[in-house]
Amino acid sequence: MNVVAGSLPGVLIFEPPSFPDARGSFRELYRAPRYADAGLTETFVQDNLSRSSQHTLRGLHLQNPGAQGKLVMVLDGAVYDVAVDVRRGSPTFGSWEGFELNAENGRQAYLPPGVAHGFLVLSESALVMYKCTALYGPSNELCVRWDDPALRIEWPVGRPVLSARDAGAPSLDQIPLERLPRFEASR
């Protein structure tokens, strides 16, 4: 399995091998020892599945307390996946990186706790699965505005389909600093 470090501390891109033949293909989506060998030793406690239509943008989401690490993969379709470092004290605070995840390339993105996450559906629809290191807690939710001018995220679509919550999310500088997770250098 190929593993590439992202530009934000703790972000990893995994490329599990695919085994195609005349019948189709086979890919192992997750095997804990293989990920531990690659440096990901987190325990996952919740799996989420999202189906979205083309140009839907979900995010930028995180929670604190109870920050979640997420291993994100696309089972059907394609998305532009974005990670934003909103961890207080991080050397890359306010920086973002984006990558295409799709069912064909099988790439997976690990986003460490404290990193805001969002994705934009590029295909007609997409089925996105993500494994989380902490349970969802509605009272811990935070949402950062997808088009925050200070972040300057280069989304491939200018007018995405948004939920009311995502459309009304505050910019990063409007969120009290004490509500944001703290950077832990060991991650």
Side-chain angles (χ1 to χ4, degrees):
M1 174 168 63
N2 189 35
V3 182
V4 178
S7 62
L8 304 178
V11 172
L12 298 170
I13 304 298
F14 294 94
E15 297 174 341
S18 178
F19 303 96
D21 63 22
R23 302 166 296 168
S25 66
F26 174 84
R27 179 178 287 134
E28 200 173 69
L29 294 180
Y30 182 77
R31 179 188 288 246
R34 184 177 61 194
Y35 286 79
D37 290 346
L40 181 59
T41 58
E42 300 279 4
T43 300
F44 294 102
V45 297
Q46 180 176 321
D47 287 350
N48 297 327
L49 190 63
S50 168
R51 179 171 294 283
S52 304
S53 58
Q54 189 169 38
H55 299 156
T56 293
L57 191 151
R58 294 183 183 266
L60 301 162
H61 302 150
L62 71 148
Q63 61 179 43
N64 188 50
Q68 298 173 309
K70 297 176 182 175
L71 181 63
V72 183
M73 62 197 80
V74 174
L75 304 178
D76 186 41
V79 304
Y80 183 67
D81 203 74
V82 170
V84 180
D85 194 343
V86 298
R87 299 168 290 184
R88 291 180 286 154
S90 171
T92 57
F93 180 84
S95 297
W96 67 276
E97 66 181 304
F99 21 79
E100 184 172 334
L101 304 178
N102 63 58
E104 292 301 313
N105 69 24
R107 296 172 82 200
Q108 302 170 347
Y110 176 71
L111 312 175
V115 170
H117 174 244
F119 64 85
L120 174 77
V121 178
L122 302 172
S123 51
E124 187 175 320
S125 68
L127 187 61
V128 178
M129 178 184 162
Y130 47 104
K131 303 176 84 52
C132 300
T133 62
L135 297 175
Y136 170 70
S139 63
N140 300 335
E141 280 186 309
L142 288 172
C143 189
V144 178
R145 188 166 183 83
W146 70 277
D147 63 348
D148 183 335
L151 298 176
R152 293 184 280 186
I153 298 171
E154 297 171 10
W155 296 101
V157 170
R159 298 178 63 97
V161 178
L162 300 165
S163 70
R165 178 180 77 147
D166 291 345
S171 59
L172 183 56
D173 66 359
Q174 292 174 316
I175 298 172
L177 206 52
E178 62 274 5
R179 277 289 283 135
L180 297 176
R182 187 176 304 279
F183 177 69
E184 297 177 30
S186 62
R187 291 198 183 270

